[in-house]
Amino acid sequence: MEMEMEIEAEVQVRMEPPKIHRLDDSVVNRIAAGEVIQRPASAVKELVENSLDARSSSINVVVKDGGLKLIQVSDDGHGIRYEDLPILCERHTTSKLSTFEDLQSIKSMGFRGEALASMTYVAHVTVTTITKGQLHGYRVSYKDGVMEHEPKACAAVKGTQIMVENLFYNMTARRKTLQNSADDYSKIVDVLSRFAIHHMNVSFSCRKHGAARADVNSVATISRIDAIRSVYGVSVARCLMKVEAVDKDPSSSVFQMEGFISNSNYAAKKITMVLFINDRLVDCTALKRALEIVYAATLPKASKPFIYMAIILPPEHVDVNVHPTKREVSLLNQEIIIEKIQSVVESRLRSSNETQTFQEQAVEPTPSCQMVSSKDSNRNPSPPGSKLQKVPVHKMVRTDSSDPAGRLHVYLQPESWGHLERNSSLTAIRSSVRQRRNPKETADLTSLQELIDEVDRNCHSGILDIVRHCTYIGMADDVFALLQHDTHLYLANVVNLSKELMYQQVLRRFAHFNAIQISEPAPVKELIMLALKEGNLDPECSENVELNEKIAEMNTELLKQKADMIEEYFCIHIDKDGNLSRLPVILDQYTPDMDRVPEFVLCLGNDVDWEEEKKCLQVISAALGNFYAMHPPMLPNPSGDGLQFYQKRKPFRNPEESLSCTTGDDVVTENDIEHELVAEAETAWAQREWSIQHVLFPSMRLFLKPPNSMATSGTFVRVASLEKLYRIFERC
């Protein structure tokens, strides 16, 4: 009986509604933080928007482990006042608005005061800031919305740096779902890329912690297409066309839209939609879907477009307070705006499709092409209805290294580069290279033979086959050349290749060099002084000058003492007065860049161990290899964007003088080009490319034994397989 009464009491308790209680503030704040900071990319977006609100001109982001270990955002904005630091990371503290009515006309990107507060509840946040006029900055750490200690004075550069460490350390489930750091880092790069192409007046960079190279590196520019080119690449920028739409009718909609959309030549696996509304990076699913429909109907083969749009509306027509992360906004008359934009895009696509043109290149006939044509002309045409035999893939693409039709220079108009030896043929140079002495006729030194044996033992057979049978196509950029081996395309680092080739040639030609006579012997002491001066941060300091003179004198005396040995073995002649007058010929038809002589002489005096024979020979050979390597010339490449380095700036003139100078038919340009310097640079770069094609690669095929380290150092990178490319184009 008692048991039945207990059961009835328990059932009655269960039927009663649960009691409502107030959540603890720490729970509330952590729940809110999870909504605002959904993943590392959300934190980066919030911090970058704060930097933009601070009128920054440069924003740098460093990320570690996809943002879970570290997110560091540095800017050069106006900074944070010392008095505001105590409440900086409290919830709902902001400088963007004071009353709710301010939301009707707000133009800043942040306004809730929740981003920094949310980060302090799920991570460790450290802020370093300095404002204009302060002698030093302040650093302070935050946890759960409050300062952990009083602000500490510290050295700081202009602006603010915010470090977010150990993100989601107290949210185990969230952290476990974000362990794929590569995926999260790519999302961060995507966010920074979108900001970079819209905010053209701001420089952006984003890199992994410890990496030397940034994955996003944009500079301020006045051209939107240049910004897109620098971030998304040339292949995207060349396929874009501009679109504009304006509506000033208050009865329907008021907006202005500018953007770039891809044409029929653009092909991608997924759509890229970059949308800014009143300078806010947002998503609009309805607009994105409408534009996808237009592309699918107008350009079926390009139905995954690249779209950048910036829409400006009156602030009172946009409700920004509809999403915790501000990812979405609500627009007045949204359907009308989308319909008008859709109509403009459709019209632009149809007109571009109707007037589509294709560039045609005139290819000069080569001997191999003529031979193929003559063979084809003698063949009988296939009888009607006969079944075509399938041709093997390797015969559909050029694989013959002796066929010049695959080289880039065949398709370019020849230019006259003055002193280049245009009459020198590749055959003559190969013959000259083959006429070198037998490598076994070198001086009989055990240490030298050990170095040569090490080169032979360390040779990578796979890369050796590529080097022996590759076809030089052309230079891809200042360092990498494009090669073809069999049906594969490779990027090859010509600096690394030439350095190793020169080193091996020094060993094999040891004590049997021809000489390069220097027209005016150069004082070794002055060369060393010049090299030391270039390496000093403050070359004008009297202490540095005195120290450099002592170093130069000691090294000069040392080289004068070793002059007989280095002349006999390496053909480097230093006379009794300490003047450098002869250098060795390592490759026929090739002279090194004499601008690098100071660095080479300093290396001889400073880095060589003259006591141990093997180390001595190895270091001198390596120094010669580095000196003779085909580095990019000291002068920047004047082609493309490099021309800006040759603009000479005129002194600032009085505006009245400028007006007087520009009246009439005379037009005064503020930037003139240093034409003589440009001509010198063009000659140097042209000479280098000629040497790479006609000296370096023929010599590599004959002599280079690539070391195993080249397989992992990025010296050779396979970029394409021609069989796969052929199959792709076959379907087009």
Side-chain angles (χ1 to χ4, degrees):
M1 188 68 177
E2 291 179 359
M3 185 177 295
E4 291 178 356
M5 292 176 64
E6 290 178 359
I7 293 174
E8 290 178 359
E10 184 177 351
V11 171
Q12 187 175 1
V13 170
R14 288 181 180 177
M15 293 177 62
E16 292 180 359
K19 184 179 179 180
I20 296 175
H21 59 277
R22 189 184 301 276
L23 287 175
D24 188 75
D25 287 344
S26 62
V27 178
V28 173
N29 292 329
R30 196 173 298 178
I31 292 172
E35 294 177 348
V36 176
I37 309 300
Q38 298 175 352
R39 59 189 315 129
S42 306
V44 172
K45 179 176 179 289
E46 296 285 355
L47 293 175
V48 170
E49 287 178 341
N50 283 345
S51 297
L52 291 170
D53 282 339
R55 297 190 292 275
S56 305
S57 62
S58 176
I59 301 174
N60 303 309
V61 180
V62 178
V63 178
K64 186 175 183 180
D65 286 355
L68 294 180
K69 285 277 185 71
L70 171 70
I71 296 173
Q72 178 180 294
V73 178
S74 308
D75 65 56
D76 61 351
H78 53 54
I80 303 168
R81 296 190 305 173
Y82 174 80
E83 308 86 59
D84 295 335
L85 290 175
I87 65 169
L88 173 66
C89 293
E90 290 184 9
R91 288 193 69 191
H92 308 306
T93 57
T94 179
S95 62
K96 314 297 170 59
L97 79 167
S98 301
T99 64
F100 184 79
E101 286 72 23
D102 293 340
L103 276 176
Q104 306 299 322
S105 59
I106 194 164
K107 295 182 179 179
S108 61
M109 297 181 198
F111 55 89
R112 296 193 185 102
E114 283 191 309
L116 285 176
S118 298
M119 292 177 205
T120 64
Y121 289 110
V122 295
H124 303 115
V125 177
T126 303
V127 178
T128 304
T129 185
I130 186 172
T131 57
K132 186 177 181 181
Q134 284 186 330
L135 298 178
H136 57 78
Y138 293 94
R139 181 178 291 119
V140 61
S141 299
Y142 295 87
K143 183 178 180 180
D144 295 336
V146 297
M147 290 195 308
E148 292 188 294
H149 54 78
E150 287 296 316
K152 297 178 181 179
C154 65
V157 295
K158 178 188 176 185
T160 303
Q161 180 189 87
I162 297 180
M163 286 198 304
V164 180
E165 298 174 286
N166 298 321
L167 188 62
F168 303 126
Y169 73 95
N170 54 1
M171 300 177 69
T172 307
R174 179 76 62 89
R175 191 175 180 88
K176 285 183 178 179
T177 61
L178 297 172
Q179 291 301 316
N180 189 352
S181 60
D183 181 53
D184 281 291
Y185 181 69
S186 65
K187 292 182 184 297
I188 293 172
V189 169
D190 180 62
V191 169
L192 265 293
S193 300
R194 292 166 184 259
F195 276 118
I197 66 173
H198 180 74
H199 297 277
M200 301 182 300
N201 58 332
V202 181
S203 300
F204 289 87
S205 74
C206 179
R207 62 180 175 87
K208 291 183 179 178
H209 182 265
R213 180 179 178 183
D215 295 286
V216 176
N217 190 10
S218 69
V219 297
T221 179
I222 60 173
S223 170
R224 183 81 61 194
I225 201 71
D226 286 345
I228 295 175
R229 184 183 295 109
S230 67
V231 175
Y232 287 95
V234 178
S235 59
V236 175
R238 68 158 60 104
C239 296
L240 299 182
M241 49 190 179
K242 191 171 184 179
V243 290
E244 295 178 334
V246 179
D247 189 359
K248 297 182 180 180
D249 185 4
S251 61
S252 59
S253 62
V254 177
F255 76 95
Q256 180 179 349
M257 182 275 290
E258 291 184 359
F260 286 90
I261 59 174
S262 57
N263 57 26
S264 59
N265 295 324
Y266 180 81
K269 294 182 179 179
K270 63 178 183 178
I271 183 174
T272 300
M273 177 85 175
V274 182
L275 176 63
F276 282 82
I277 296 179
N278 285 5
D279 291 330
R280 294 175 180 275
L281 177 60
V282 296
D283 293 334
C284 183
T285 305
L287 177 59
K288 182 178 179 180
R289 182 58 184 155
L291 296 180
E292 280 185 306
I293 293 172
V294 171
Y295 269 89
T298 311
L299 303 176
K301 290 186 178 180
S303 57
K304 302 296 180 184
F306 178 96
I307 300 171
Y308 161 78
M309 282 188 181
I311 302 175
I312 302 297
L313 300 95
E316 59 271 17
H317 290 186
V318 184
D319 186 358
V320 297
N321 191 30
V322 296
H323 195 278
T325 64
K326 306 186 293 291
R327 190 178 65 189
E328 297 176 3
V329 294
S330 180
L331 308 180
L332 185 65
N333 301 320
Q334 178 171 298
E335 294 80 6
I336 299 175
I337 293 173
I338 291 176
E339 183 181 352
K340 292 187 177 180
I341 292 176
Q342 186 182 29
S343 176
V344 169
V345 170
E346 181 179 8
S347 175
R348 187 75 175 88
L349 289 177
R350 291 191 182 280
S351 63
S352 68
N353 202 24
E354 292 171 359
T355 59
Q356 188 175 5
T357 59
F358 299 91
Q359 295 181 351
E360 182 179 350
Q361 288 182 327
V363 181
E364 297 179 2
T366 61
S368 60
C369 294
Q370 294 172 358
M371 181 175 62
V372 172
S373 300
S374 61
K375 288 181 180 179
D376 292 342
S377 61
N378 294 329
R379 291 178 184 167
N380 293 324
S382 302
S386 63
K387 186 176 180 180
L388 296 176
Q389 294 184 353
K390 188 174 181 180
V391 182
V393 172
H394 72 275
K395 292 187 178 181
M396 296 179 183
V397 294
R398 175 187 55 78
T399 59
D400 181 9
S401 62
S402 64
D403 183 0
R407 300 180 193 143
L408 291 179
H409 73 279
V410 175
Y411 302 92
L412 303 176
Q413 293 295 329
E415 298 181 15
S416 57
W417 286 320
H419 72 282
L420 286 184
E421 300 175 22
R422 300 182 59 84
N423 296 327
S424 298
S425 65
L426 185 59
T427 305
I429 293 170
R430 280 178 172 167
S431 175
S432 176
V433 172
R434 288 193 177 99
Q435 290 172 4
R436 299 302 306 169
R437 299 178 181 86
N438 189 326
K440 297 184 187 257
E441 295 178 0
T442 57
D444 189 16
L445 293 176
T446 303
S447 57
L448 175 69
Q449 193 57 48
E450 289 176 358
L451 292 172
I452 295 175
D453 291 341
E454 287 177 7
V455 170
D456 294 337
R457 286 195 309 269
N458 197 32
C459 180
H460 192 286
S461 58
I463 299 180
L464 179 63
D465 184 58
I466 295 174
V467 170
R468 290 286 188 268
H469 305 100
C470 70
T471 300
Y472 173 83
I473 298 176
M475 293 301 294
D477 61 12
D478 297 343
V479 174
F480 284 92
L482 194 61
L483 313 177
Q484 180 183 338
H485 174 254
D486 198 7
T487 58
H488 302 298
L489 293 178
Y490 293 87
L491 283 175
N493 188 316
V494 296
V495 176
N496 293 349
L497 286 172
S498 58
K499 189 181 299 184
E500 183 64 27
L501 174 65
M502 301 299 179
Y503 168 73
Q504 295 181 15
Q505 282 298 94
V506 171
L507 297 180
R508 298 184 188 281
R509 293 189 176 193
F510 187 85
H512 291 86
F513 293 99
N514 289 335
I516 299 174
Q517 189 70 38
I518 300 177
S519 58
E520 294 183 9
V524 171
K525 180 181 176 182
E526 293 185 13
L527 292 174
I528 296 175
M529 286 285 292
L530 185 61
L532 291 171
K533 184 178 180 180
E534 290 177 351
N536 284 342
L537 295 176
D538 186 8
E540 302 300 326
C541 179
S542 59
E543 295 181 1
N544 290 341
V545 172
E546 292 176 1
L547 180 61
N548 290 348
E549 285 183 351
K550 292 180 181 179
I551 295 173
E553 288 175 359
M554 293 174 60
N555 285 340
T556 302
E557 289 302 317
L558 176 64
L559 292 178
K560 286 165 66 176
Q561 294 173 15
K562 307 296 182 182
D564 292 339
M565 187 272 280
I566 60 177
E567 166 138 28
E568 180 182 356
Y569 290 162
F570 298 101
C571 194
I572 301 171
H573 179 65
I574 298 175
D575 61 26
K576 60 182 180 179
D577 297 325
N579 296 319
L580 178 67
S581 58
R582 278 199 299 272
L583 290 169
V585 174
I586 296 180
L587 285 183
D588 296 313
Q589 306 287 332
Y590 175 67
T591 303
D593 185 358
M594 292 301 174
D595 288 338
R596 298 184 182 274
V597 170
E599 179 186 355
F600 167 67
V601 175
L602 177 62
C603 183
L604 280 184
N606 232 24
D607 299 342
V608 178
D609 182 0
W610 300 96
E611 302 299 325
E612 186 176 345
E613 183 181 46
K614 183 177 178 181
K615 283 187 177 179
C616 174
L617 299 181
Q618 185 178 30
V619 173
I620 295 177
S621 300
L624 280 166
N626 184 58
F627 171 42
Y628 279 70
M630 296 184 180
H631 299 275
M634 297 289 190
L635 291 172
N637 194 337
S639 63
D641 295 336
L643 193 61
Q644 63 182 340
F645 294 98
Y646 299 93
Q647 292 179 348
K648 59 181 180 181
R649 301 285 179 178
K650 291 186 177 181
F652 179 78
R653 294 198 302 266
N654 189 306
E656 296 180 0
E657 295 179 4
S658 299
L659 289 173
S660 62
C661 290
T662 56
T663 56
D665 297 330
D666 296 328
V667 178
V668 178
T669 58
E670 290 296 325
N671 297 324
D672 289 342
I673 303 297
E674 296 277 5
H675 294 289
E676 294 182 1
L677 203 58
V678 169
E680 181 181 346
E682 288 176 345
T683 300
W685 283 90
Q687 177 67 61
R688 175 176 180 258
E689 185 167 356
W690 186 92
S691 298
I692 289 171
Q693 178 181 350
H694 295 294
V695 179
L696 176 61
F697 279 90
S699 301
M700 278 172 41
R701 295 188 188 101
L702 293 172
F703 303 125
L704 180 64
K705 293 191 175 180
N708 290 319
S709 59
M710 285 189 174
T712 56
S713 64
T715 302
F716 283 88
V717 180
R718 193 169 82 176
V719 294
S721 174
L722 296 185
E723 303 103 319
K724 295 179 181 178
L725 288 176
Y726 178 81
R727 293 191 183 102
I728 291 172
F729 288 114
E730 186 181 32
R731 293 196 300 266
C732 295

